[in-house]
Amino acid sequence: MEKVDFRAAIAAQPTMLDRCREAVQEQVAAACARDIPEGCALVTGIGASHYAALCAVSHWRHQGLPAMAVCSGELFGAAPGLGRLMVALSASGRSVEPIEAIKHVRPSFAIGVSNETGVPLEDHVDALVATGCSIDSSPNTASFVGTLQALGLLGDRLGDARTDWDRFSDRMENAIAAATPALERVTEMLRDRTSIDLVGSQCMFGIAGYAALLLREFPRLSAQSWATHNFLHGPMEPNDIHTAVVIFGDGREVPLASCLAGYGIATVLVTTNASIADRDHLCVVRLPDIGHGIVAAMSVASVAQLMVAELAAVRGFTSCNFRYRQTDTKILPGLAK
């Protein structure tokens, strides 16, 4: 895998996803040609992969596919058989936690999703889908949307749905173009906040989590993600003129954004809803309506990445160097686990 800088990875994503899609479809078809057990799919990952899982299972449920997402570490000690079908996500294919989760759950059939083949995860699953992500950055950009694409294609196959993936690169580029004029104001509103809440529902709950992770990793801002309706029940109470909220969505999220701005809280709303406009304390980032959960999530993810790049730049960070790396989260080359 080629590592490039954050902005270069964002720019390369649309073409990369288009180039890889046919190969990913073929791998998904081969995996699903096997004897897939019926029942609720258990999708698991760690870090950004966990947030990809949250996006996927929300869309799968809308397709009529029973599914739940569980962070891999929470499956340690789980009773065997908790999930008959398990989908384990690890962009590097070397993350310890999803592999350990497979060992605990012992599913009847396990599908792995990683950037490439020949990784440790492959030894623990019945079928591996390689996203073909040949470029990425630190923190992860292309590998996240590549995982979402693979999960979208997998959900289509498992649920016998047919999504029009044509012109996907145009949709992602259109979303970035639509968001770009608002970025300067977004950056000014968020750059010096003591904390930032990120809020969304369904697929956008996963994007809120991913965006919060990026904000912590790159511009080193204290950020936390919340499900929209959970946020209404108390978590918003610490917010004041020193904090901010970024909201992703078109439903209950719209009056929530207006409410928060009315209290003088810096609020950014990323939405397709045309009924709300900028005003004091509120910046509206209006995107084209794509109308498909995972495809929309991939486009919004690219917009969130661009926001993070701008915030990192104004806060003086040109590259992401983790200060607190842990030594037991990855399987090193040549070591079995």
Side-chain angles (χ1 to χ4, degrees):
M1 163 159 314
E2 179 187 359
K3 283 283 189 177
V4 299
D5 72 53
F6 198 78
R7 289 182 186 274
I10 297 171
Q13 286 175 157
T15 301
M16 184 202 73
L17 292 166
D18 281 348
R19 186 182 68 246
C20 299
R21 191 172 303 117
E22 184 176 351
V24 175
Q25 287 173 320
E26 291 173 356
Q27 294 172 76
V28 165
C32 293
R34 309 275 293 275
D35 188 15
I36 303 291
E38 295 183 355
C40 185
L42 178 61
V43 187
T44 189
I46 202 77
S49 292
H50 171 59
Y51 301 116
L54 289 174
C55 290
V57 299
S58 175
H59 184 68
W60 288 8
R61 289 193 293 262
H62 280 270
Q63 291 178 309
L65 234 169
M68 62 178 176
V70 181
C71 192
S72 297
E74 298 306 305
L75 292 171
F76 290 12
L82 178 66
R84 297 184 64 213
L85 170 61
M86 192 169 184
V87 181
L89 314 177
S90 171
S92 69
R94 298 187 294 111
S95 295
V96 168
E97 291 87 354
I99 291 173
E100 288 297 313
I102 293 170
K103 292 178 181 178
H104 285 272
V105 174
R106 287 186 252 167
S108 302
F109 194 86
I111 299 173
V113 178
S114 65
N115 291 338
E116 56 192 358
T117 59
V119 293
L121 177 63
E122 191 169 10
D123 296 332
H124 299 272
V125 296
D126 299 288
L128 185 80
V129 175
T131 66
C133 179
S134 57
I135 57 100
D136 206 3
S137 59
S138 181
N140 293 348
T141 46
S143 61
F144 178 79
V145 292
T147 298
L148 284 182
Q149 175 169 264
L151 290 170
L153 294 168
L154 179 58
D156 282 358
R157 178 67 65 160
L158 290 172
D160 199 27
R162 292 294 176 265
T163 298
D164 179 11
W165 289 89
D166 291 344
R167 297 180 59 250
F168 171 73
S169 58
D170 291 344
R171 293 170 183 166
M172 182 176 276
E173 289 167 354
N174 288 343
I176 290 175
T180 298
L183 289 177
E184 183 176 355
R185 188 176 183 213
V186 169
T187 301
E188 286 304 311
M189 291 176 72
L190 301 182
R191 62 182 295 175
D192 294 320
R193 300 294 160 172
T194 57
S195 68
I196 302 173
D197 288 323
L198 294 103
V199 180
S201 61
Q202 301 178 33
C203 288
M204 293 302 143
F205 178 41
I207 296 302
Y210 172 60
L213 179 63
L214 292 181
L215 286 170
R216 298 182 75 94
E217 290 177 327
F218 198 175
R220 294 179 183 167
L221 286 161
S222 181
Q224 171 70 47
S225 59
W226 301 94
T228 298
H229 290 275
N230 198 37
F231 190 67
L232 306 177
H233 289 262
M236 66 176 70
E237 287 304 309
N239 282 289
D240 57 26
I241 61 171
H242 304 293
T243 68
V245 183
V246 179
I247 305 173
F248 301 93
D250 309 319
R252 182 62 176 86
E253 293 80 14
V254 176
L256 172 61
S258 183
C259 170
L260 293 168
Y263 284 112
I265 298 165
T267 305
V268 175
L269 173 65
V270 182
T271 186
T272 66
N273 191 304
S275 67
I276 186 169
D278 283 9
R279 59 185 175 88
D280 288 347
H281 311 297
L282 175 62
C283 178
V284 179
V285 181
R286 188 165 291 108
L287 304 182
D289 187 358
I290 292 174
H292 180 285
I294 287 185
V295 176
M298 294 165 71
S299 295
V300 176
S302 67
V303 171
Q305 292 164 355
L306 203 57
M307 289 182 183
V308 168
E310 295 290 329
L311 282 163
V314 299
R315 288 173 59 82
F317 296 102
T318 57
S319 62
C320 176
N321 297 306
F322 290 171
R323 295 178 291 179
Y324 310 123
R325 287 194 180 275
Q326 303 301 296
T327 60
D328 61 346
T329 62
K330 302 292 182 187
I331 298 172
L332 298 177
L335 295 180
K337 182 81 174 179

